[in-house]
Amino acid sequence: EEEEEEEEEEKTFLLLGGDARPVRVFAIYQLWKRGLLTDTSWSLADPVECGGEAFFGPRTLPPELPTDEFCKLFPKNLDIEVGEVESKDSTFPASYLYSSTKMSIVFESSVDGRYNKSLFLTEKILKPIYGGHPFILLNAARYALNVIRRFGFETFGDFIDESWTTSPAFTDEGLPQDLRGNPTTDKLIALMESVQRLTKEQWIGMRRIAEKNRRHLVCGGFRQVLEAQAADVLQEIARRTFTPPKQY
């Protein structure tokens, strides 16, 4: 008699953490503390407190945290080893990660310390779009969602609160050295809890947007927008370079 394999229960969130940067350790700690990790498929390398590589200098975990218990969670791998930098930065994650979850939490990168001034997006945001996932964007510059929309993608403000993402939040620079909370922590937790309460009809609406975004990415729409914007930039460079100065 063959034993039936037990199917893993679908989880709400997918969080691909990668390197254990302070903001990511902080978020994982908060989700673990609030019980939200049980509804999250996630990955992250060893934090420095647990013997991993240090990012942005030394820091210590909150004194109330049972370090041994927390460190047992790491390293947390999903489809690849989290230490394989080339693999995670040059390929899209396995499709089953998206089919077994409902929404991605994305940690964007920031180009420098002036997070509220530098608009900078990487391949990280394209991963959930390619996977057909709605997403929550963290650690990005102010108004990063506006940039995403300018590229022709839609976001999910009709279903979740995106207003708090217009201000700097969850940045490595903004974190206290002991990884205690900042004012955005409760907002993230509240947002995730509100996502868990979405109705079936609301999920259908978000998935329609996510599928539309995926088609825009893979069917050439995104490329056309990029080419048009690049052409505008080159024309402006040419205009400034070759336009003779006014004579007075």
Side-chain angles (χ1 to χ4, degrees):
E1 184 178 344
E2 295 183 1
E3 295 183 1
E4 294 185 1
E5 293 185 5
E6 183 177 346
E7 293 186 5
E8 186 176 350
E9 184 179 355
E10 182 183 51
K11 295 185 178 180
T12 302
F13 303 104
L14 175 64
L15 190 160
L16 302 176
D19 301 325
R21 296 178 182 272
V23 64
R24 302 171 190 177
V25 178
F26 170 75
I28 291 295
Y29 162 60
Q30 292 295 333
L31 300 188
W32 178 72
K33 183 178 178 181
R34 308 289 185 96
L36 285 166
L37 271 191
T38 58
D39 195 23
T40 305
S41 290
W42 62 281
S43 64
L44 195 70
D46 285 300
V48 62
E49 296 85 0
C50 305
E53 183 179 355
F55 286 92
F56 301 98
R59 63 188 191 274
T60 57
L61 290 168
E64 73 272 13
L65 177 67
T67 306
D68 291 342
E69 185 179 351
F70 186 62
C71 286
K72 288 178 182 178
L73 301 175
F74 304 99
K76 181 69 166 60
N77 299 311
L78 289 175
D79 59 326
I80 63 171
E81 297 289 330
V82 285
E84 296 179 357
V85 176
E86 292 185 359
S87 295
K88 72 179 179 62
D89 291 344
S90 61
T91 61
F92 286 107
S95 60
Y96 77 85
L97 294 175
Y98 297 101
S99 62
S100 61
T101 54
K102 296 181 178 179
M103 187 172 208
S104 287
I105 299 174
V106 181
F107 287 105
E108 245 313 345
S109 296
S110 296
V111 67
D112 57 29
R114 300 183 300 278
Y115 298 102
N116 61 334
K117 299 179 182 178
S118 303
L119 288 174
F120 184 70
L121 296 171
T122 70
E123 83 291 341
K124 295 177 179 63
I125 191 59
L126 294 181
K127 291 179 178 181
I129 291 175
Y130 182 77
H133 246 202
F135 55 81
I136 297 170
L137 186 64
L138 302 180
N139 203 38
R142 186 190 296 265
Y143 306 123
L145 291 179
N146 290 351
V147 177
I148 294 171
R149 297 184 193 109
R150 284 189 62 190
F151 284 131
F153 299 108
E154 296 182 24
T155 60
F156 304 92
D158 289 340
F159 304 98
I160 63 173
D161 180 12
E162 294 180 333
S163 63
W164 67 282
T165 60
T166 60
S167 60
F170 290 98
T171 61
D172 291 320
E173 182 183 74
L175 281 176
Q177 287 300 301
D178 64 359
L179 294 185
R180 293 181 188 274
N182 63 23
T184 59
T185 305
D186 290 338
K187 292 183 179 180
L188 172 62
I189 299 300
L191 177 57
M192 292 178 68
E193 290 176 343
S194 72
V195 168
Q196 291 177 318
R197 295 192 297 270
L198 290 175
T199 65
K200 180 179 179 180
E201 289 72 22
Q202 289 173 316
W203 278 114
I204 291 173
M206 287 211 296
R207 286 171 182 148
R208 284 174 180 162
I209 293 175
E211 181 55 33
K212 184 177 179 181
N213 285 342
R214 188 179 191 279
R215 290 196 302 269
H216 182 65
L217 175 64
V218 303
C219 297
F222 177 51
R223 180 173 181 171
Q224 290 176 3
V225 173
L226 284 179
E227 290 174 345
Q229 292 189 8
D232 290 342
V233 170
L234 291 174
Q235 287 179 0
E236 179 63 16
I237 291 174
R239 186 188 67 80
R240 296 189 180 191
T241 303
F242 299 112
T243 301
K246 294 181 178 179
Q247 299 296 323
Y248 296 97

